[in-house]
Structures are given as C-alpha cells and as structure tokens.
Amino acid sequence: MEGSLLNWAARYFPILRAIKKHGLLENGTLLEIGSGPFGIGTFRKVPFTGCDLSFADKEQWPMTQLAASAADLPVGDKSFDIVLASDVLEHIPPPLRMKVISEALRVADKLVIFGFPCGKEAHDSDRALRQEYLDKNLKVPEWLEEHMEADFPEPGLFTNLPGWKVEQFSNESLSFHKWLMKREMNLLFVRITGRMSRSLPRLIEKILRNTDGNPSYRQIFVLTRT
C-alpha cells in the first residue's frame, strides 16, 4: 500500500459514503480498477473484484484478483453494480483516459465512481513535493514520479455522458494534502496514524470530513445510471 493508512482513509471514506448513499455498501457487487493488492477491501469487508495489470502478492479476502487492462476489461456489460477507480486516472496516458472511463461505464450496472487529483494546482503541488524529496535526498515515491509524466485529468472528461447523472465533489483541500504528504516522510507518523485509523475509524472519518474543501487536491465524480 502506497502512502499511509490515513492517506488511504482520506480518499476512500468519501467513496464509501457515496456507495452507502446508493444503498450498495453491504451487498453491492463491485469492481475496483487499479486496486493494487488491497484496494477498498481495507475499509469495506465485502467480497469484491480488484483489477490491475498484474499482482505481485497472492489473493487476499475480500478481494478476487483480475489481471487486466482498464482499457479492455474482460467482463460483460453491466457485470457489476459498482465500478470504482480511486487515484488511477492520473496514471493513465491522456489518450486512453476516455477509453478507461467508457469501459467503466460499460461494465457498471448502477454506479461508477472516479476519484483523482485534478487540475493544475494539484499538479503543481505534487511537483513541489517531488522537489522536497530531492532536496532532502530521499527516494521519490514511484507514484509521485508517475504523476509528473502528464497533466492531471480535468472535469471535462465527465461531460456529455448520455444515460448517466454526474455528481462532483471536492476531496482533500490542497493545504491538508500538502500537510499530510510532508508528514508521511516521517515513519513514526505513518505508524501512529495507521493505528488510529484502524482502532478509531469513526473519529478519523469525522476529522477527515473537515479537511475537504476548495481549492482541493482531488475531485470525486459519482455517476449514476439513469
């Protein structure tokens, strides 16, 4: 898992609230694109399918692994109630981003959720963070190097999608994101907040709700089939 558990909680808790709002938290079938070895299963203990190009580790409950490209999912139309991609779209080459979105819409029956760093201010923030790693002679995380390869996705990708209602909301204010990224350079901080996220999830969620705001680092798009 890249980043601290607090980092993952900040991006997944709003997604869990969206899924709960649509009555699918406990029993909706779910495909997570770009899940890595754990994905949403870290917080939602319901069986789901995690899709990634490859998996280095053995399958762990509650996730069933599916090795495949997000641009060519080997599943039928409307195979899952929910399709989710959290902090994935910014890693997709720009010419393929609409293809990935289209595939998610194709295989989802009810709900599609995309969350990703969005816009120039967020990209500039990550560029400054990368420079701070270099200035401190620390290894730049792989995900951060990948963030420098292309501009972040823009909201316009989610316009003109016939048959889908689109809701958009902000996640992680830029100021909180910058603070969290700097704290993650400290292993003790990662360990302490990880324990708190596991033992006091309701408190952590309440705190994290207050860190959402504009200008934001991440935007979350919730698409409902109409």
Side-chain angles (χ1 to χ4, degrees), residues 8 12 24 41 50 57 90 101 108-109 147 192 216 218 224:
W8 276 55
Y12 274 108
L24 298 169
D57 301 314
E90 71 275 17
I101 294 170
D109 185 34
H147 280 194
I192 291 173
S216 71
R218 183 183 295 104
T224 311

Side-chain angles (χ1 to χ4, degrees), residues 127-145:
R127 184 180 291 108
L129 175 65
R130 179 182 181 275
Q131 187 60 50
E132 187 161 353
Y133 270 93
L134 294 174
D135 291 343
K136 294 182 177 181
N137 293 317
L138 298 174
K139 179 177 173 56
V140 179
E142 183 179 354
W143 63 265
L144 186 54
E145 291 285 21

Side-chain angles (χ1 to χ4, degrees), residues 60 87 95 114 122 128 133 144 179 185 194-195:
Q60 294 187 46
D87 279 33
F114 275 90
Y133 270 93
L144 186 54
W179 176 86
M185 294 178 181
R195 290 170 185 165

Side-chain angles (χ1 to χ4, degrees), residues 26-84:
E26 300 298 331
N27 54 14
T29 57
L30 186 148
L31 170 69
E32 181 171 5
I33 295 170
S35 64
F38 307 108
I40 198 171
T42 304
F43 304 99
R44 179 181 182 261
K45 303 303 181 181
V46 177
F48 74 104
T49 299
C51 175
D52 223 315
L53 289 173
S54 62
F55 293 90
D57 301 314
K58 290 184 178 180
E59 191 171 277
Q60 294 187 46
W61 186 89
M63 185 172 78
T64 299
Q65 295 177 353
L66 174 65
S69 167
D72 187 19
L73 296 171
V75 296
D77 296 355
K78 300 183 180 181
S79 294
F80 296 89
D81 294 325
I82 312 157
V83 176
L84 160 67

Side-chain angles (χ1 to χ4, degrees), residues 106-123:
R106 179 183 68 81
V107 304
D109 185 34
K110 299 176 181 177
L111 196 66
V112 173
I113 303 175
F114 275 90
F116 52 87
C118 185
K120 185 178 184 300
E121 283 187 284
H123 200 264

Side-chain angles (χ1 to χ4, degrees), residues 4 6-7 176-184 189:
S4 68
L6 182 63
N7 184 324
F176 172 74
H177 178 76
K178 292 175 182 178
W179 176 86
L180 180 57
M181 291 300 96
K182 290 181 180 181
R183 299 290 84 73
E184 283 195 350
F189 172 86

